[in-house]
DNA sequence: CCAGTATCGCACTGATCGCTGCCTTTTTGG
DNA sequence: CCAAAAAGGCAGCGATCAGTGCGATACTGG
């Protein structure tokens, strides 16, 4: 080969150096492979080849497919949803649930969740959970500051997060906006 | 080897022949391997070795690990819960939810669910779902025959099945009886 | 500009995987 | 009881995987 040698102009000390680029490429490769759901066995060499890096690098930085998936899921679900502030508890919950439904409704995301659960163990489950708990608590806390009496985080998780995740992961029914709003209505007592 | 040769008295045309015995051994091996969660990679040869059969047999009967897991999960969740009949909707739902909580609370079962989701795809998800929908509908239908006005199957799934599955699969919080009863109470309007 | 260090590419190796003919053994059906 | 069919055991094939020294390259602070 011996392409145009080095000369890559601005590869220097800025953030986004080689290490970060490799990380991004590997993450993207994992998501693509998981989404494809073809016969690709999702092994380290396959991921590395698709990412354009060497398997050695992946072995050394992540070790196993499970840890790699957990890392990808953590990145994927970190900051994926901004906690809304619409001025009312119902508005906040509806917008939050809608965002989550849109997130989990994406087949690629769903495939990532399933794969991470499968080989990521408890750590993988935590990665898929993301920051749902803190986000819910932030919404409820804001309502409490408004003087309202919101439901507990536990109730909210059971009434919103759980149905969204269950329907996405275990069933093939769509996460329609009407159904999602209905969850909020039922939680807040119609 | 050459143990007591053939002579196995009743190995004939009754159900429970060799084929069924192989099936049971393979299923047991899968559950053990999934439960162990050690470094065993859960491949066909490993399963076959633990089951005491040859990998060829497993390849020919199931093909892939995903299909095998889906089959095991189907068996595991088929008939695992008998729809109760306590005379009241609340009693039926509480007993049903309690049974499901006990089921999903078992770490080995949980590991099977996660693994099946991971490599079983949509079929694996359906296997883990089991007959929940029909069971719920049976309970609600019975209440309707009593003259009551039960919630819809959708509401019941969202309020009972989903939180149980979500908490079991995605969190490490226990599925306590009090919490489970609380789900029923919230569904039936306190 | 230059040493020091972390990261990555490369060339391997032993082990395992997925899979396939071929034959033996069991089960089925008349 | 006996042939046909189904299922399992056996040996072995190419391909891939997980993992390891070693050298080269890119980032770091001075």
């Amino acid at each position: 080969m011996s392409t145009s040698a080095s000369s890559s102009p601005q590869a220097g000390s800025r953030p986004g150096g080689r290490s970060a680029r490799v990380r991004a490429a590997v993450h993207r490769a994992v998501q693509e492979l998981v989404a494809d759901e073809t016969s690709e066995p999702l092994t380290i060499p396959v991921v590395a080849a698709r990412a354009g890096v060497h398997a050695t690098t992946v072995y050394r930085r992540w070790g196993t497919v499970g840890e790699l998936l957990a890392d990808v899921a953590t990145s994927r679900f970190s900051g994926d949803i901004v906690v809304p502030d619409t001025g009312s508890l119902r508005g906040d919950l509806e917008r939050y649930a809608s965002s989550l439904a849109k997130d989990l409704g994406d087949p690629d995301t769903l495939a990532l969740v399933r794969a991470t659960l499968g080989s990521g163990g408890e750590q993988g489950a935590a990665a898929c959970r993301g920051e749902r708990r803190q986000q819910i608590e932030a919404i409820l806390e804001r309502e409490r500051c408004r003087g309202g009496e919101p439901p507990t985080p536990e109730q909210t998780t059971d009434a919103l997060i759980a149905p969204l995740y269950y329907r996405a992961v275990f069933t093939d029914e769509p996460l329609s906006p009407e159904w999602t709003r209905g969850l909020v209505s039922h939680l807040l007592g119609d």
Side-chain angles (χ1 to χ4, degrees), chain A:
Chain A
M1 285 284 178
S2 77
T3 52
S4 53
S6 55
S7 82
S8 61
Q10 60 281 71
S13 52
R14 267 202 356 277
R18 186 171 63 161
S19 186
R21 204 160 21 246
V22 166
R23 180 184 176 92
V26 170
H27 277 218
R28 195 176 327 126
V30 168
Q31 301 207 52
E32 289 175 7
L33 284 173
V34 165
D36 265 12
E37 191 98 13
T38 62
S39 58
E40 294 293 346
L42 193 68
T43 68
I44 303 276
V46 172
V47 170
R50 176 170 279 245
V53 300
H54 275 249
T56 315
T57 303
V58 182
Y59 279 119
R60 286 209 254 262
R61 282 187 65 160
W62 287 278
T64 69
V65 178
E67 299 177 62
L68 175 55
L69 273 171
D71 187 48
V72 172
T74 300
S75 293
R76 173 66 183 77
F77 295 117
S78 179
D80 59 338
I81 297 181
V82 241
V83 176
D85 187 4
T86 64
S88 75
L89 176 61
R90 179 179 297 265
D92 285 355
L93 289 178
E94 281 187 354
R95 183 166 301 188
Y96 180 78
S98 167
S99 300
L100 185 52
K102 188 181 164 191
D103 216 3
L104 293 174
D106 176 31
D108 297 1
T109 304
L110 174 59
L112 176 63
V113 169
R114 284 180 177 159
T116 304
L117 286 176
S119 49
E122 193 66 46
Q123 189 172 1
C128 295
R129 223 182 308 146
E131 304 140 343
R132 309 298 172 222
R133 188 77 184 208
Q134 298 92 302
Q135 292 162 344
I136 288 292
E137 282 172 358
I139 292 176
L140 300 180
E141 174 60 24
R142 183 136 52 206
E143 172 67 7
R144 214 172 294 115
C145 290
R146 293 195 196 99
E149 281 190 13
T152 66
E154 188 178 81
Q155 289 173 326
T156 310
T157 300
D158 293 341
L160 288 187
I161 312 284
L164 282 163
Y165 269 84
Y166 174 79
R167 183 173 274 214
V169 171
F170 289 96
T171 81
D172 47 1
E173 302 170 67
L175 280 58
S176 72
E178 303 79 35
W179 172 76
T180 305
R181 266 196 301 275
L183 294 176
V184 177
S185 294
H186 187 254
L187 168 65
L188 299 183
D190 284 349

